[in-house]
Amino acid sequence: MNAPDGWKHQNAVPPTDTAEPDYFHKVVDCQWACPAHTPVPGYIRLIAQGRFSDAYMLNRQSNVFPGILGRVCDRPCEPACRRDRVEDEPVAICRLKRVAADHKDDITDRLPKKPAKTNGKRIALIGAGPASFTVANDLAPFGYECTIFERFGEPGGLMRTNIPAFRLPEKVLSEELGYILDMGVELKLNSPVSSMKALLDEGYDAVFVGTGAPKGKELNLPGRDQSENIHIGIDWLESVAFEHTKAIGKKVLIIGVGNTAMDCCRTSLRLGADNVKVMARKPRAFFKASAWELEDAEAENVEIIVNHSPKEFVVDNGVLKGMLFETLEYVLDEKGNITKQTVTGEVVIECDDVVLAIGQDNAFPWIERDAGLEFGKWDMPLVDEVTFQSTREEVFFGGDAAFGPKNIIWAVEHGHQAAISIHQYCQQKLVTTRLPNGVKLAPTKMGMFEWSFSNSFDAAERRIMPHVELAKRFKDLGTEVELGFTAEQAATEVERCLNCDMQTVFNAPLCTECDACVDICPVECLTMTEPAAENVLREALEIPASNTEQALYVSPALPLTSRVMIKDENICLHCGLCAERCPTAAWDMQESEIIINHVEDMVPGASS
Amino acid sequence: MTSFAKPSINLKNAKRNKLGLTRRDYEGAMSTLCAGCGHDSVTACMAKAFFELSIEPHRAVKVSGIGCSSKTTAYFLSEAHGNNTVHGRMPSVATGAAAANTELTYIGVSGDGDSLSIGLGQFAHAIRRNVNMLYVLENNGVYGLTKGQFSASSDIGSRSKKGEENLSPPIDPVSLGLSLGATFVARGFSGDRAQLVPLIKAGLKHNGFALIDIVSPCVSFNDHKGSTKSYAHTFQYYHPAVHADYVPMADDIKTSYEDGEAVPVELHDGGMIMLRKLDKDYDPQDRAAAYAQVAKRAAKGEIITGLLYVDESQKDMAAMNKMTATPLNALPYESLCPGAASLADLQNRYR
Ligand SMILES: Cc1cc2nc3c(=O)[nH]c(=O)nc-3n(C[C@H](O)[C@H](O)[C@H](O)COP(=O)(O)OP(=O)(O)OC[C@H]3O[C@@H](n4cnc5c(N)ncnc54)[C@H](O)[C@@H]3O)c2cc1C
Ligand SMILES: Cc1ncc(C[n+]2csc(CCOP(=O)(O)OP(=O)(O)O)c2C)c(N)n1
Ligand code: SF4
Ligand code: SF4
Ligand code: SF4
Ligand SMILES: [Mg+2]
């Protein structure tokens, strides 16, 4: 072999530090992408074993609302799923969560009970959305007296008022909120907080603001004030949810093409509309709605019309007749960015109602500007991105109220973090003191050709969610469209998961440089090569590691030649063949547990 | 389910060759050899070389004898023709096949036991005849399949797993090939695929008998301390002398080599073997000098590797014997079997 001294080591990448907790965490793409870091492959394995309740409980630790999120999560995990990069489509992670929730047994015994006595700390939570509920979920079991104030007569926030029941049944929502209320959380309904100062005067030890972003954006065009049939999307959905609104005209235009627009158009169809058009200013590539929401709306024959910019509401004698649009043409550059737009004409589209779904804003009219909380740009309170503390030390924010509209799983994660801060604050500890994430590794080798996980690659395609047939779904608002996976579908879908938490762990001193692992790897993501700069190493692989967002593992020098073993984490199937084939167990498959801390991990002796 | 099958998978980013095939299309059955066996690496290199040359798998013929090495023909090119023959008898079967159809690509896979003990006579004559084939000798110094007896390539002083010392002198396939007039003689190491894959490609494209002796450690019976065919020993004493690259006709050679650095050897198909001397004094086109160099390095305990000798000017078996270029199965029946009268005619010519 060439003498190692002949190698140009100057820019050589140092060996990868796999003890750094984020390294293995990042390999579990779904968990890394999930704001709450739900241990996806772990719960998918439990579902595969039919242990639905265990899968549910594991989910609940991080995402608190598996039944809700298994239906309506924004699922950032899925675009991140390795399976998507390997061949075609991600694992149906979200809908597998629903399988766990739908098939679990009664788990109430496994939830924390209302503590026998409180710790004397009183926490006020404003707004009964997922953010506040998560804070209560984390704090109540440890004796915190949590009181949630909600302006409406029902809890749940936008999950109740805006996410339509045909996507999220009321029963599922109430069940999961109920688990938290049963921990001894007090819920004050019909109790809008109209003065922050007054609330602070009540002497709470801490206040959590989880009031969301409750204001729908306006579209101030001529004619706006002349008709009753122009609605603001989120207010309109809310009034539908509370059954104040029970009908809409036959022809409906929805302005905007985000997820709210999708809920507005589908809700219209259930309230009597038969011709619903979603009007978009820009081409399809610029739509804000998730691909699957668009797909579901279009499956219900909603028409999506691109390149139309609203100009005027056409109102005749107080009766809405239609809407005037400018038609647009765009010039795109190679990257798909718009470089030019031209107006090509004008067109009136007839309608009976218009629903404006062009965004949400925060609004804190009830927080006096001299209450000790500083406000910054766009009249938003200043909130720390790690601790969620405001500039008034006992006031914390989370969910859409903190940094603007996001989604449920972000609200949950904010809630977890704010709960840790509130706990620290109430225990007179620094809120900035937080436990670091960690990683635990455990062996998985059971014997020759035998691992403790299902290591074989299953080539099955992603299962397609069965839906209620079109004819039946518009009868009422509450008919859930998705039926959930059948047992057979679930059994197939779980096997599609690559078990990315089963880490390939390399022990360089054991390697005899026999190449067996390199040869067996079905995706050719390993090789041994001389140390070099990262870009050179990435090219050294049989299939170059061109996805630089994914790590390249680099081993310490190998014993015989001082070369390094490198591995492209991008497309590894976690099939274990490298470890199976290795004569010395230099490669081993080890199950990683990513340690993510919650309040329970900060309370001595409480961690389960 | 746990399993030990290499899954077939439609990878988004897999490389494809001129035929639109992936490297994995050149694989075969799952290997049943010991984990870590050098032979598996050679198998992988073989698949890679065929893939890179864009050879249609069904236009290749794999023949082998008996031994772990000989088993490996099952582990690559599953679409190719093949025959596991009898111990040491692969060369005659390969010779017959090559005579029957000169259009296919022939690969013989053998071991040090198969070629240098029971099959030494056959091996020598295939070289002499210059059969147009690639002959891969996976050399581990033992009879691996029968659990590790010393083979004829075992070095003096090399120790068996139980500590016994080999006292008989080794037969070196490279020196033997050089002395028998082989037209392409190379040595590789299963642990250096950067060298081995181009060697295999050059060997496949050489017109005539291409011998590659490949040090290919036996992890189970000959990879211990004291063995001269272990990974550790080979890595330590390994000495690349001449690097060879195969450059197809269509490619522009000038781009990848600087002037004077590489010596081109023109091939029958219009392509080239580019020789790059790593050892300045080594001349891979001078048989006598090559023989001397190989002997000198061996005496020092070094393992000289690379394309050690090449001569493209010699006639192969088909040319020497004026054999028909048309595969026998493509000849019309009347010319293939001209009948009793023609036979009598022929016999009369020798009366
Ligand atoms: C139409 C629509 C569809 C959506 N679909 C999805 C989806 O499919 N998936 C997803 O993940 N996310 C979705 N979202 C976003 C998601 O609902 C929110 O991001 C999430 O609910 C935010 O949670 P939160 O706890 O911060 O606030 P919210 O859910 O907004 O809850 C805030 C609560 O505070 C109450 N409140 C406000 N002010 C006061 C006050 N002064 N006093 C007392 N109570 C007050 C409100 O009444 C409300 O109940 C959707 C949003 C909309 C508008
Ligand atoms: C005629 C005959 N004699 C003996 C054997 C037993 N036998 C099987 S394999 C083998 C040696 C193989 O050694 P080698 O060619 O070096 O292959 P390796 O297993 O080392 O790769 C022998 C002697 C046999 N199969 N047939
Ligand atoms: S394959 Fe499984 S573990 Fe890997 S990213 Fe997808 S869901 Fe997560
Ligand atoms: S587990 Fe090993 S063999 Fe399997 S894909 Fe990953 S690196 Fe390759
Ligand atoms: S199989 Fe094991 S010993 Fe062989 S090269 Fe790979 S890690 Fe090293
Ligand atoms: Mg042998």
Side-chain angles (χ1 to χ4, degrees):
Chain A
M1 219 31 357
N2 295 357
D5 345 329
W7 294 346
K8 298 181 191 69
H9 283 285
Q10 286 103 321
N11 299 319
V13 193
T16 306
D17 179 11
T18 56
E20 206 274 306
D22 282 354
Y23 185 80
F24 283 137
H25 188 175
K26 270 178 101 161
V27 171
V28 196
D29 294 289
C30 48
Q31 187 171 8
W32 179 255
C34 173
H37 303 307
T38 304
V40 173
Y43 82 69
I44 290 182
R45 280 192 299 276
L46 291 170
I47 294 171
Q49 295 163 32
R51 292 167 62 188
F52 302 118
S53 300
D54 292 341
Y56 184 88
M57 293 307 292
L58 184 61
N59 256 289
R60 200 182 178 284
Q61 271 175 26
S62 42
N63 62 48
V64 186
F65 305 107
I68 295 169
L69 290 165
R71 289 170 165 82
V72 301
C73 187
D74 258 357
R75 35 176 156 147
C77 54
E78 291 194 17
C81 174
R82 174 180 307 267
R83 184 92 193 192
D84 191 45
R85 300 194 298 274
V86 167
E87 26 109 84
D88 212 11
E89 289 220 67
V91 174
I93 302 171
C94 179
R95 297 313 189 256
L96 284 174
K97 207 187 303 299
R98 173 176 172 181
V99 169
D102 285 1
H103 298 281
K104 68 179 184 307
D105 305 317
D106 183 353
I107 48 93
T108 42
D109 279 356
R110 300 174 65 169
L111 296 171
K113 308 272 166 320
K114 177 180 174 170
K117 58 181 206 304
T118 75
N119 68 357
K121 302 285 181 193
R122 293 166 59 237
I123 317 294
L125 305 130
I126 314 172
S132 290
F133 266 88
T134 301
V135 175
N137 175 74
D138 288 8
L139 292 176
F142 302 103
Y144 288 92
E145 294 171 34
C146 298
T147 307
I148 303 180
F149 297 90
E150 168 58 48
R151 62 176 165 149
F152 289 135
E154 302 272 1
L158 291 178
M159 301 190 297
R160 168 97 50 191
T161 60
N162 264 241
I163 300 184
F166 60 82
R167 287 207 290 129
L168 176 59
E170 194 278 332
K171 195 172 140 278
V172 177
L173 176 63
S174 297
E175 173 187 317
E176 291 190 328
L177 297 177
Y179 291 153
I180 297 168
L181 295 176
D182 289 346
M183 294 172 192
V185 172
E186 190 184 355
L187 175 63
K188 291 197 163 161
L189 295 173
N190 303 310
S191 312
V193 172
S194 53
S195 161
M196 176 61 109
K197 277 172 146 178
L199 185 78
L200 289 169
D201 284 346
E202 289 178 39
Y204 285 97
D205 292 280
V207 172
F208 176 77
V209 181
T211 49
K215 212 172 86 189
K217 281 206 169 88
E218 250 310 346
L219 187 61
N220 284 316
L221 292 176
R224 171 66 183 93
D225 306 326
Q226 292 166 30
S227 168
E228 296 282 294
N229 290 41
I230 302 165
H231 319 276
I232 290 191
I234 65 167
D235 297 342
W236 180 74
L237 286 170
E238 176 192 299
S239 121
V240 172
F242 290 135
E243 297 180 14
H244 304 317
T245 295
K246 290 183 177 143
I248 196 162
K250 289 279 173 211
K251 291 188 199 122
V252 179
L253 296 183
I254 314 288
I255 310 299
V257 68
N259 287 340
T260 303
M262 297 302 110
D263 283 338
C264 291
C265 65
R266 297 179 70 192
T267 300
S268 302
L269 288 171
R270 285 155 177 81
L271 295 188
D274 61 11
N275 182 337
V276 182
K277 293 186 171 70
V278 173
M279 307 301 299
R281 269 178 60 90
K282 290 185 184 171
R284 205 169 175 106
F286 297 88
F287 290 4
K288 284 204 185 112
S290 318
W292 50 88
E293 300 236 10
L294 286 164
E295 210 176 281
D296 288 346
E298 289 186 307
E300 296 184 355
N301 298 319
V302 167
E303 200 180 342
I304 300 178
I305 298 183
V306 297
N307 301 355
H308 279 62
S309 176
K311 217 180 156 195
E312 200 179 312
F313 298 94
V314 183
V315 186
D316 185 9
N317 266 334
V319 180
L320 181 68
K321 291 288 177 189
M323 207 166 175
L324 176 67
F325 292 90
E326 276 179 351
T327 51
L328 299 168
E329 236 171 53
Y330 295 95
V331 180
L332 305 182
D333 66 10
E334 282 150 33
K335 286 180 195 142
N337 298 320
I338 294 175
T339 52
K340 203 179 141 209
Q341 81 173 50
T342 13
V343 179
T344 57
E346 284 190 351
V347 59
V348 173
I349 299 183
E350 279 181 38
C351 66
D352 303 317
D353 286 86
V354 171
V355 182
L356 303 173
I358 50 178
Q360 275 166 268
D361 279 327
N362 289 81
F364 301 98
W366 53 277
I367 303 182
E368 296 84 352
R369 294 306 187 256
D370 61 352
L373 286 90
E374 267 178 68
F375 280 70
K377 253 203 274 176
W378 297 303
D379 209 24
M380 286 290 281
L382 299 184
V383 176
D384 186 277
E385 286 183 20
V386 175
T387 63
F388 294 86
Q389 195 173 36
S390 73
T391 51
R392 181 159 174 154
E393 59 174 12
E394 76 272 43
V395 179
F396 301 82
F397 282 71
D400 289 357
F403 309 115
K406 283 193 166 150
N407 55 31
I408 301 170
I409 191 67
W410 270 113
V412 167
E413 176 58 12
H414 289 180
H416 283 314
Q417 297 308 324
I420 290 175
S421 301
I422 293 172
H423 170 71
Q424 294 289 86
Y425 177 74
C426 290
Q427 304 306 317
Q428 274 105 47
K429 292 188 187 129
L430 280 178
V431 293
T432 47
T433 306
R434 305 178 97 82
L435 293 174
N437 289 352
V439 57
K440 268 193 222 159
L441 292 171
T444 60
K445 181 105 184 148
M446 310 279 284
M448 183 88 155
F449 305 157
E450 218 185 315
W451 302 95
S452 67
F453 65 104
S454 169
N455 70 320
S456 55
F457 176 81
D458 192 321
E461 285 170 24
R462 182 180 167 111
R463 301 293 97 181
I464 295 166
M465 176 58 65
H467 286 178
V468 172
E469 51 189 284
L470 270 185
K472 289 192 184 152
R473 68 171 83 149
F474 301 123
K475 272 193 311 217
D476 60 74
L477 266 170
T479 302
E480 187 173 14
V481 170
E482 294 191 359
L483 294 167
F485 281 140
T486 62
E488 291 77 12
Q489 284 184 308
T492 306
E493 193 62 34
V494 287
E495 290 300 328
R496 295 186 70 240
C497 173
L498 299 171
N499 300 292
C500 302
D501 59 339
M502 298 298 175
Q503 306 285 352
T504 54
V505 179
F506 188 66
N507 189 350
L510 293 181
C511 177
T512 66
E513 303 182 42
C514 71
D515 275 321
C517 52
V518 177
D519 294 336
I520 198 81
C521 177
V523 293
E524 304 179 67
C525 70
L526 302 175
T527 202
M528 288 179 279
T529 186
E530 50 188 82
E534 179 162 334
N535 57 333
V536 178
L537 292 182
R538 282 181 177 271
E539 288 296 317
L541 285 153
E542 200 57 51
I543 301 177
S546 49
N547 181 355
T548 48
E549 279 173 22
Q550 291 282 323
L552 183 79
Y553 168 80
V554 182
S555 78
L558 298 177
L560 298 180
T561 62
S562 301
R563 290 181 296 175
V564 288
M565 175 73 78
I566 62 174
K567 177 189 171 211
D568 177 11
E569 297 287 8
N570 187 31
I571 45 171
C572 167
L573 304 178
H574 297 260
C575 64
L577 290 179
C578 49
E580 189 63 64
R581 212 59 187 137
C582 179
T584 62
W587 278 116
D588 190 21
M589 301 304 290
Q590 294 184 20
E591 180 171 359
S592 62
E593 186 195 339
I594 312 298
I595 315 286
I596 305 287
N597 299 291
H598 297 124
V599 169
E600 66 171 342
D601 304 294
M602 322 239 349
V603 177
S607 187
S608 48
Chain B
M1 260 239 314
T2 50
S3 85
F4 187 50
K6 188 164 174 173
S8 71
I9 149 168
N10 205 356
L11 252 196
K12 258 186 190 170
N13 60 350
K15 268 195 207 160
R16 294 186 178 273
N17 66 11
K18 288 193 188 117
L19 302 171
L21 300 177
T22 67
R23 212 251 323 165
R24 301 238 12 228
D25 292 323
Y26 288 82
E27 290 182 347
M30 219 32 204
S31 167
T32 55
L33 302 185
C34 306
C37 177
H39 299 350
D40 282 333
S41 292
V42 179
T43 300
C45 292
M46 206 80 99
K48 192 168 179 226
F50 273 87
F51 161 70
E52 289 180 357
L53 290 174
S54 292
I55 294 175
E56 291 171 291
H58 69 279
R59 303 290 292 165
V61 180
K62 310 170 291 184
V63 269
S64 63
I66 298 293
C68 296
S69 36
S70 295
K71 282 175 71 175
T72 63
T73 47
Y75 311 144
F76 64 96
L77 262 67
S78 52
E79 313 278 290
H81 307 273
N83 193 341
N84 272 113
T85 70
V86 203
H87 204 14
R89 269 57 183 165
M90 175 264 278
S92 24
V93 175
T95 306
N101 187 341
T102 52
E103 282 188 348
L104 303 176
T105 301
Y106 293 89
I107 327 111
V109 179
S110 178
D112 41 334
D114 195 60
S115 288
L116 305 178
S117 296
I118 191 169
L120 187 62
Q122 297 237 335
F123 175 56
H125 286 282
I127 295 176
R128 254 191 83 246
R129 289 194 193 105
N130 206 17
V131 180
N132 190 8
M133 70 183 296
L134 169 69
Y135 194 105
V136 165
L137 196 160
E138 299 179 357
N139 195 340
N140 54 16
V142 288
Y143 298 167
L145 192 70
T146 54
K147 300 199 176 274
Q149 301 83 352
F150 286 128
S151 77
S153 72
S154 201
D155 294 307
I156 294 176
S158 188
R159 288 186 182 275
S160 75
K161 210 170 177 179
K162 288 196 172 142
E164 186 194 345
E165 198 179 333
N166 175 53
L167 302 172
S168 325
I171 300 178
D172 170 25
V174 165
S175 312
L176 186 63
L178 285 170
S179 68
L180 288 168
T183 51
F184 181 112
V185 184
R187 175 145 48 217
F189 170 35
S190 67
D192 184 358
R193 54 190 55 215
Q195 180 194 53
L196 186 53
V197 173
L199 270 184
I200 293 175
K201 284 160 74 174
L204 284 168
K205 289 294 176 180
H206 167 72
N207 187 55
F209 191 89
L211 168 66
I212 311 181
D213 173 39
I214 304 174
V215 183
S216 172
C218 170
V219 268
S220 295
F221 302 110
N222 207 11
D223 193 32
H224 45 268
K225 239 186 151 150
S227 155
T228 59
K229 292 272 192 291
S230 66
Y231 282 104
H233 184 94
T234 312
F235 275 122
Q236 194 177 348
Y237 294 99
Y238 186 66
H239 179 85
V242 187
H243 185 86
D245 271 327
Y246 168 73
V247 185
M249 182 165 35
D251 292 16
D252 185 3
I253 349 173
K254 286 180 197 104
T255 49
S256 44
Y257 298 94
E258 282 166 26
D259 278 349
E261 194 193 322
V263 185
V265 178
E266 220 167 299
L267 298 176
H268 272 62
D269 71 346
M272 307 240 172
I273 294 174
M274 299 297 290
L275 297 172
R276 216 162 9 102
K277 293 184 197 179
L278 306 169
D279 234 359
K280 290 231 167 46
D281 315 329
Y282 196 95
D283 183 357
Q285 288 172 299
D286 178 335
R287 186 183 295 274
Y291 191 92
Q293 281 277 357
V294 168
K296 214 168 95 188
R297 291 282 176 187
K300 286 204 273 179
E302 285 176 358
I303 305 159
I304 188 167
T305 64
L307 180 45
L308 301 170
Y309 180 73
V310 61
D311 177 3
E312 275 299 305
S313 67
Q314 299 305 311
K315 286 181 174 161
D316 70 356
M317 175 178 77
M320 277 190 253
N321 294 291
K322 301 195 186 65
M323 284 156 49
T324 169
T326 313
L328 298 191
N329 63 4
L331 286 176
Y333 181 77
E334 306 76 60
S335 29
L336 194 62
C337 194
S342 303
L343 178 64
D345 242 21
L346 180 75
Q347 287 170 330
N348 279 335
R349 294 202 334 237
Y350 296 98
R351 289 225 162 93

